Amino acid sequence: LRGEPGYTNLSGTLLSTFILMVGEVDTPFNRTNDELNAAAGVLFVCFTLVAAVLLLNLLIAVLSSSYERVLRVAEAEQIKEKAEALLRWWSTLPPRHRREVYLTLAP
């Protein structure tokens, strides 16, 4: 890459590599050494990093919301399964034992 504009000094190389990582976008500055606008490069990198952090934050929020919803459904399913198991057990008891169990559980 020797002689390529944008790879002749360290700052140009880092900026060019960063631009390649984010997808080779059109930048508002020219990547040649003599025309490299440092302020535009810094702003571009800062904006890209802030956008990435915000998108990660959004992803975490969406996953957290989904997890909470799934947890609520799981708790409801657990209660339902316990009630069904209790009803299955209750239906296997003879009527005499049902009455005894009911009288011991009744307030």
Side-chain angles (χ1 to χ4, degrees):
L1 294 173
R2 290 181 190 207
E4 289 287 323
Y7 293 99
T8 54
N9 60 13
L10 182 61
S11 65
T13 301
L14 291 175
L15 185 60
S16 296
T17 305
F18 184 77
I19 290 170
L20 286 173
M21 286 187 338
V22 295
E24 190 67 42
V25 296
D26 289 333
T27 55
F29 50 86
N30 191 347
R31 293 187 313 182
T32 59
N33 288 337
D34 54 346
E35 296 179 13
L36 181 60
N37 186 344
V42 168
L43 288 175
F44 174 72
V45 170
C46 288
F47 171 77
T48 306
L49 293 176
V50 167
V53 169
L54 289 176
L55 287 173
L56 283 173
N57 191 18
L58 180 64
L59 176 66
I60 290 169
V62 167
L63 291 177
S64 175
S65 174
S66 297
Y67 178 77
E68 288 174 2
R69 186 171 22 101
V70 167
L71 189 61
R72 282 194 310 269
V73 170
E75 289 172 351
E77 285 288 325
Q78 182 183 20
I79 292 169
K80 178 184 163 203
E81 291 295 325
K82 284 182 180 179
E84 288 175 353
L86 183 61
L87 285 174
R88 282 193 304 272
W89 172 76
W90 185 261
S91 67
T92 61
L93 289 176
R96 182 174 51 91
H97 286 93
R98 286 184 195 173
R99 180 162 174 75
E100 290 173 7
V101 171
Y102 177 74
L103 290 175
T104 58
L105 295 177

